[in-house]
Amino acid sequence: MINRKYERIVFAFFMALFMSFIMSFIITFINLGFVDIFLSSWIRAWLIAFTCAFPIIVVVAPIVHKIVHKLIAKI
């Protein structure tokens, strides 16, 4: 198992993986439709998206967590 101190990095990795995978599929489909080059175009787009998404999530997730923490009422 992975040490708990790496939780944010592991979270960011999987969030980036799934979100970039799904979003790149949707955008590639919108732009191209299901054509012969769809699969190769989608994988290329996904690799680029994941490469960008992972460091962005590492930086942005703690900021979003703080904003949400301030917006949620304490009962």
Side-chain angles (χ1 to χ4, degrees), residues 13-29 38-39 42-51 53:
F13 176 84
F14 283 105
M15 180 62 77
L17 182 76
F18 291 120
M19 288 298 296
S20 63
F21 191 77
I22 294 165
M23 293 303 298
S24 63
F25 177 89
I26 293 167
I27 298 302
T28 303
F29 175 73
F38 177 82
L39 188 59
W42 171 35
I43 297 301
R44 182 176 183 275
W46 172 66
L47 290 171
I48 293 168
F50 177 75
T51 302

Side-chain angles (χ1 to χ4, degrees), residues 28-74:
T28 303
F29 175 73
I30 289 170
N31 286 326
L32 299 178
F34 285 123
V35 294
D36 291 340
I37 61 167
F38 177 82
L39 188 59
S40 62
S41 297
W42 171 35
I43 297 301
R44 182 176 183 275
W46 172 66
L47 290 171
I48 293 168
F50 177 75
T51 302
C52 296
F54 180 59
I56 290 169
I57 292 173
V58 168
V59 172
V60 173
I63 297 166
V64 172
H65 179 75
K66 288 178 185 176
I67 292 168
V68 170
H69 184 71
K70 289 182 181 192
L71 291 174
I72 301 299
K74 296 178 183 174

